[in-house]
Amino acid sequence: MDDHLNRLNDAQQQSVTAPDGPVLVVAGAGSGKTRVLTTRVAWLLSEGHAMPGEILAFTFTNRAAREMKQRIAEAAGPGREPFWIGTFHATGLKILRTEGEAIGIKPGFSIFDTDDSKRLLKEVTSSLGLDSKQFNPSATRGAISRFKNDDQTPEAVLQAAAGYVDKKYAELYAGYEEALRRNNALDFDDLILRTVHLLEQNDEIRERYARRFRHVLVDEFQDTNPLQMVLVKLLSSWHGNLFAVGDDDQSIYSWRGARIENMVDFEQFFPGAAVFRLEQNYRSCGNILNAANQVIANNKRRKGKNLWTNDPAGDLLCEEEFVDEQDEAARVVDIVRQETAAGMSRGDVTVLYRTNAQSRALEDALRRGRLPYQIVGSLQFYERKEVRDLLAYLKLVANPADTVALQRVINTPRRQIGDTTVGRLLDLAARYELTPGEAAAETGVLEEELAPAAQRRVRAFFDLVTRWRSRASEGMPVPELLQAIVDDTKFESHLEQEDPTTAASRGENVAELVNAAAAFHEATDGGNLAQYLEQVALVSDPDTITDGQGTVRLMTIHTAKGLEFPVVILTGCEDDILPHINSAEDEAGLEEERRLFYVALTRAQKRVYLLHAGRRRRFGTWQEALPSRFLREVPDECIERRTLTTPQETSLWGHRPTGRGAGHRPRNRTAPPAVRPDQWGNRTAPAKTAANGPAESVDWQTDVDQSRSYYQGQVVTHSIFGSGVVARVEGAGDDMLVTVDFTESGRKHINPRFAPLVPLD
């Protein structure tokens, strides 16, 4: 253990060896927080402070849990890693599988993922006679998730409803909960919510678990939501030993319920807590850290820290401006080639963006450039139709009450069992309080509603399911069971009939699913069907990231958190994208957007490219764009700023050249000969050298009267956006930024220097 402690710096050692009680470690990006967390566990074990079964550690991804277990085994010795290490959802699931009956949760329940929940909500919406366009499943699911994370019951939501929409959401919530009960299913939010309810309502169970866990540790504490905070308090309530590690400057998940206050106000939640700060960075070069520090210092709601490194300053960050997103994407291709020519692999280069919609132009350019890429967080393997179909078969085998799985597969492949037949079957099952399979097997039940031919087809289907369920109960390995389903249903022939052009690739996905089941069987020494379905259900986007060196990775900034890459290309550094238009109008939203920018910068080890366009096509029309306000917060001494020169200067790929001598204009250096406003709208005239005579002023000709003033409430018109009302005016002269609420196109931030606004009053 001494060897492992000696590898830590002083701040890390103090954190690891902190005495009992609540401890908060404010760990900056790249400061070794994972090492501190795992070494803390190893130290507790080695010093006799706890046994492996007395330690509970929460993570936010399965990938992090695996890494933690591996590091603890290396430090404390093989076989000594605690088995209570996992995500909040996985830990809640483990407790509910064992104790759930105490609050009415039946054994063998299904876990409904996002797609399952949407399908169920579609049924509930229809049953209530509501318009699925007004109450679409995605929006309804988001609302219900917020209700659950705030621990609000349907009754409480209805009581607080202020209007028609709120009342209907309350009804949908109530209907959804009843439908989950009928399906013997829990959704992801339930895995934490119902665990909290269990521990709050049952003193004996709460005390048993709280006594058991002498030490509770939480990774990424800044990402906890209120329910997770309650769960942490409940499970650490007996011994009071909570070790929380996180970075409030990387709190970027408020949209899914995370509360930065959990970390910022830690000492109020846990009086007497010891606080340590890890500020030495082992990932990024000095210029990247200087830029990140200066940007995030503009946030007010933070614990405060300053990252530093012993490594050299390294390359300057590179900011580049382009005409549009096509030019920006073409430049991404050039950067990848430039980096690989310099010795990097394609896998060393990662492209980040604020929204998924930005990936389209990037993908097009990479395909044209014949550069292989992986989109992380898009349609993943377990979301593909053929994979979801086969998993639905397994879910139905495991849980006879799962009607969502049933409706997905009862006519896949086609068995001439239509929606009307399925609807009548479900009605019969509900009428007699039976599962659909029980209703099909019960003599006289199907005869009430179904014609003889339909009865035969339904019973034939459930005979197959019963056969598979019997094999599973007899211990048939999961990969063999899955292969039996593929064979018995003639699934590969079904793929060929459905679409011959994609059958081969989809068949490969089926084969890969069987391979994945075989890998699970081997890794778990014969794990059962329920365990396999749990593992699949808890897969998250970061768990699917490959380490292939031949592939450029594209992902959102949210997905990239917790990862690191030698080279980062951040695209779309524009106002209304980063910061996002929906988050930039209030201080809390703007601060979270700034944290997103900070996260993007601190993913990089060696180089950062910050790209933005002057216009971007949205909803079929070109819209002008301004550089992100966060770029102005990056200090000049650690960034090289490259802007457009003349429209005639274009590269082979269609974008403006950005090398030295062609549009290269670092701030605080001599401006290029072409006189034009810089990206912020500032006018810069070419300074003449002594040989050419004194500097001269330039007479700017423009269609815009720069002396014109704008004011809040003023009605204006724009050549593209139409008419609107001024909401806010910032700055003056060339630095003026006017926020306008346009009638047709919504809120826009406009510099009148580039986007003329004509007053209508």
Side-chain angles (χ1 to χ4, degrees):
M1 193 64 235
D2 288 342
D3 290 340
H4 290 278
L5 288 175
N6 290 335
R7 298 173 193 170
L8 306 178
N9 62 39
D10 290 343
Q12 291 172 333
Q13 283 189 26
Q14 293 172 13
S15 303
V16 166
T17 59
D20 286 355
V23 175
L24 175 65
V25 181
V26 182
S31 63
K33 72 173 181 60
T34 303
R35 172 178 288 186
V36 165
L37 198 63
T38 55
T39 307
R40 170 71 171 184
V41 175
W43 181 78
L44 291 171
L45 295 170
S46 300
E47 296 298 314
H49 295 290
M51 300 295 290
E54 297 176 322
I55 292 177
L56 169 63
F58 287 111
T59 66
F60 274 85
T61 67
N62 298 313
R63 186 188 186 105
R66 289 193 298 269
E67 181 181 357
M68 190 180 298
K69 289 178 181 178
Q70 181 180 348
R71 291 197 185 190
I72 292 171
E74 292 172 356
R80 299 206 67 201
E81 65 273 19
F83 57 87
W84 283 88
I85 294 180
T87 65
F88 278 92
H89 293 93
T91 301
L93 175 59
K94 191 181 298 186
I95 294 174
L96 291 175
R97 285 290 188 206
T98 305
E99 314 286 355
E101 287 187 88
I103 55 170
I105 299 175
K106 296 179 182 178
F109 59 83
S110 293
I111 307 166
F112 275 14
D113 61 16
T114 300
D115 187 73
D116 296 327
S117 295
K118 288 179 181 178
R119 283 173 173 265
L120 193 62
L121 279 167
K122 188 174 181 180
E123 294 177 21
V124 174
T125 304
S126 176
S127 70
L128 292 174
L130 297 175
D131 184 355
S132 60
K133 293 182 179 179
Q134 182 178 9
F135 297 95
N136 70 78
S138 294
T140 304
R141 179 185 172 275
I144 291 174
S145 180
R146 290 191 293 274
F147 297 150
K148 290 190 174 186
N149 283 322
D150 289 337
D151 198 7
Q152 290 183 280
T153 64
E155 295 75 19
V157 173
L158 180 60
Q159 187 174 3
Y164 172 80
V165 173
D166 292 342
K167 290 179 180 178
K168 293 307 174 185
Y169 270 137
E171 291 179 23
L172 285 164
Y173 183 13
Y176 174 70
E177 288 294 278
E178 174 59 25
L180 283 174
R181 186 195 63 77
R182 288 196 308 268
N183 281 268
N184 190 27
L186 302 179
D187 63 19
F188 274 2
D189 293 315
D190 286 329
L191 297 181
I192 299 174
L193 176 63
R194 303 299 291 275
T195 304
V196 167
H197 289 171
L198 169 69
L199 298 178
E200 287 182 332
Q201 296 170 19
N202 192 301
D203 294 339
E204 186 274 327
I205 293 176
R206 179 182 67 252
E207 185 174 324
R208 173 154 39 91
Y209 279 91
R211 278 177 176 268
R212 175 177 189 167
F213 300 126
R214 299 184 65 87
H215 290 271
V216 177
L217 301 94
V218 184
D219 192 13
E220 304 287 6
F221 194 78
Q222 77 282 347
D223 292 336
T224 54
N225 64 30
L227 271 182
Q228 290 163 339
M229 179 68 147
V230 172
L231 183 59
V232 167
K233 284 185 172 183
L234 290 169
L235 291 174
S236 62
S237 60
W238 188 266
H239 298 283
N241 297 325
L242 172 63
F243 190 87
V245 181
D247 182 2
D248 52 311
D249 289 334
Q250 296 186 67
S251 180
I252 58 174
Y253 292 113
S254 67
W255 50 274
R256 69 182 188 195
R259 295 292 180 267
I260 191 174
E261 292 80 11
N262 289 355
M263 186 164 180
V264 173
D265 300 327
F266 187 87
E267 295 96 322
Q268 297 179 30
F269 293 121
F270 302 96
V275 179
F276 300 89
R277 282 176 169 76
L278 306 183
E279 298 177 308
Q280 184 174 359
N281 178 280
Y282 296 92
R283 174 190 301 159
S284 306
C285 66
N287 280 319
I288 293 174
L289 294 183
N290 186 24
N293 284 333
Q294 292 295 320
V295 169
I296 203 63
N298 289 280
N299 274 5
K300 299 176 182 178
R301 188 75 167 138
R302 60 192 295 256
K303 300 291 285 187
K305 62 183 180 305
N306 195 61
L307 298 179
W308 59 276
T309 180
N310 283 326
D311 293 337
D315 294 339
L316 296 176
L317 285 73
C318 181
E319 177 197 339
E320 301 187 43
E321 179 187 18
F322 301 93
V323 171
D324 53 36
E325 68 258 41
Q326 281 78 27
D327 288 349
E328 177 190 61
R331 174 57 177 151
V332 168
V333 173
D334 280 359
I335 292 173
V336 174
R337 289 176 171 157
Q338 171 186 316
E339 291 290 347
T340 54
M344 291 286 182
S345 73
R346 285 192 290 263
D348 290 332
V349 182
T350 297
V351 184
L352 302 182
Y353 37 79
R354 173 65 177 85
T355 64
N356 280 308
Q358 294 171 250
S359 74
R360 194 268 311 160
L362 299 168
E363 290 184 74
D364 289 348
L366 289 166
R367 280 195 296 266
R368 286 195 299 268
R370 297 184 179 181
L371 292 174
Y373 63 89
Q374 176 201 15
I375 295 190
V376 181
S378 62
L379 187 63
Q380 299 297 337
F381 177 77
Y382 289 105
E383 296 173 354
R384 293 165 184 164
K385 182 180 184 302
E386 59 275 12
V387 172
R388 293 192 66 87
D389 288 343
L390 289 171
L391 289 175
Y393 272 111
L394 292 178
K395 290 179 180 180
L396 184 59
V397 170
N399 179 12
D402 191 338
T403 62
V404 171
L406 169 67
Q407 292 177 84
R408 186 177 187 107
V409 299
I410 194 170
N411 203 38
T412 303
R414 295 190 182 280
R415 299 183 177 90
Q416 293 182 295
I417 303 175
D419 292 342
T420 300
T421 297
V422 174
R424 289 175 178 173
L425 171 64
L426 295 179
D427 288 342
L428 285 168
R431 185 186 309 164
Y432 288 98
E433 297 186 351
L434 301 170
T435 67
E438 290 170 339
E442 190 75 25
T443 302
V445 173
L446 288 188
E447 285 76 4
E448 291 185 21
E449 295 286 347
L450 302 184
Q455 295 172 34
R456 288 193 297 271
R457 289 191 286 268
V458 168
R459 285 183 171 132
F461 169 76
F462 281 107
D463 285 345
L464 275 176
V465 176
T466 301
R467 184 194 312 167
W468 299 325
R469 188 173 295 128
S470 176
R471 291 179 181 179
S473 65
E474 292 169 358
M476 174 179 275
V478 175
E480 293 182 23
L481 175 63
L482 185 56
Q483 188 62 56
I485 293 173
V486 172
D487 295 340
D488 291 346
T489 60
K490 298 180 174 56
F491 199 80
E492 293 181 345
S493 297
H494 152 70
L495 296 179
E496 184 70 33
Q497 293 172 4
E498 194 170 65
D499 187 353
T501 61
T502 62
S505 61
R506 295 176 70 195
E508 291 175 359
N509 290 334
V510 171
E512 184 57 30
L513 182 62
V514 177
N515 291 339
F520 160 82
H521 181 78
E522 181 179 336
T524 58
D525 195 21
N528 61 33
L529 177 58
Q531 292 170 327
Y532 174 69
L533 291 174
E534 288 174 9
Q535 175 181 289
V536 171
L538 295 173
V539 169
S540 61
D541 288 343
D543 300 323
T544 64
I545 297 174
T546 65
D547 296 321
Q549 291 301 297
T551 303
V552 179
R553 286 170 291 201
L554 284 70
M555 66 187 81
T556 65
I557 305 172
H558 284 99
T559 302
K561 193 176 82 68
L563 305 175
E564 59 183 43
F565 316 101
V567 178
V568 165
I569 306 172
L570 179 58
T571 61
C573 296
E574 300 149 26
D575 270 358
D576 290 354
I577 294 180
L578 184 64
H580 194 275
I581 189 171
N582 293 338
S583 304
E585 298 308 317
D586 63 277
E587 185 173 349
L590 183 61
E591 289 204 351
E592 179 153 337
E593 293 293 306
R594 185 176 284 111
R595 292 194 292 269
L596 263 175
F597 188 73
Y598 173 86
V599 166
L601 294 183
T602 54
R603 298 313 91 199
Q605 297 168 316
K606 298 180 180 297
R607 278 182 290 285
V608 173
Y609 296 86
L610 303 169
L611 312 185
H612 56 92
R615 66 176 185 174
R616 199 169 291 268
R617 193 182 295 276
R618 298 174 187 168
F619 305 106
T621 61
W622 288 109
Q623 296 187 14
E624 296 169 353
L626 289 174
S628 170
R629 65 195 73 184
F630 300 146
L631 293 174
R632 282 177 266 184
E633 298 172 357
V634 177
D636 293 337
E637 63 268 18
C638 60
I639 189 170
E640 191 173 47
R641 306 186 192 270
R642 303 174 181 179
T643 61
L644 296 174
T645 54
T646 65
Q648 290 74 32
E649 294 182 285
T650 59
S651 74
L652 178 65
W653 298 99
H655 64 266
R656 277 51 177 172
T658 53
R660 297 179 188 277
H664 176 266
R665 187 178 54 75
R667 191 169 289 185
N668 293 339
R669 300 188 187 181
T670 303
V675 181
R676 53 155 293 163
D678 70 11
Q679 56 194 319
W680 310 117
N682 300 319
R683 303 172 185 175
T684 51
K688 289 197 173 184
T689 62
N692 294 330
E696 297 178 353
S697 62
V698 177
D699 181 20
W700 283 84
Q701 299 297 322
T702 175
D703 295 332
V704 181
D705 179 5
Q706 291 299 302
S707 64
R708 176 176 291 157
S709 61
Y710 299 91
Y711 55 87
Q712 185 176 2
Q714 184 180 29
V715 180
V716 295
T717 186
H718 184 275
S719 59
I720 295 176
F721 304 140
S723 62
V725 178
V726 174
R728 186 171 65 247
V729 179
E730 300 173 273
D734 295 327
D735 290 326
M736 180 182 292
L737 188 65
V738 183
T739 300
V740 182
D741 289 327
F742 289 100
T743 304
E744 299 295 333
S745 52
R747 175 162 288 191
K748 306 294 177 189
H749 307 288
I750 293 177
N751 184 331
R753 174 66 185 85
F754 298 111
L757 292 169
V758 179
L760 294 180
D761 54 2

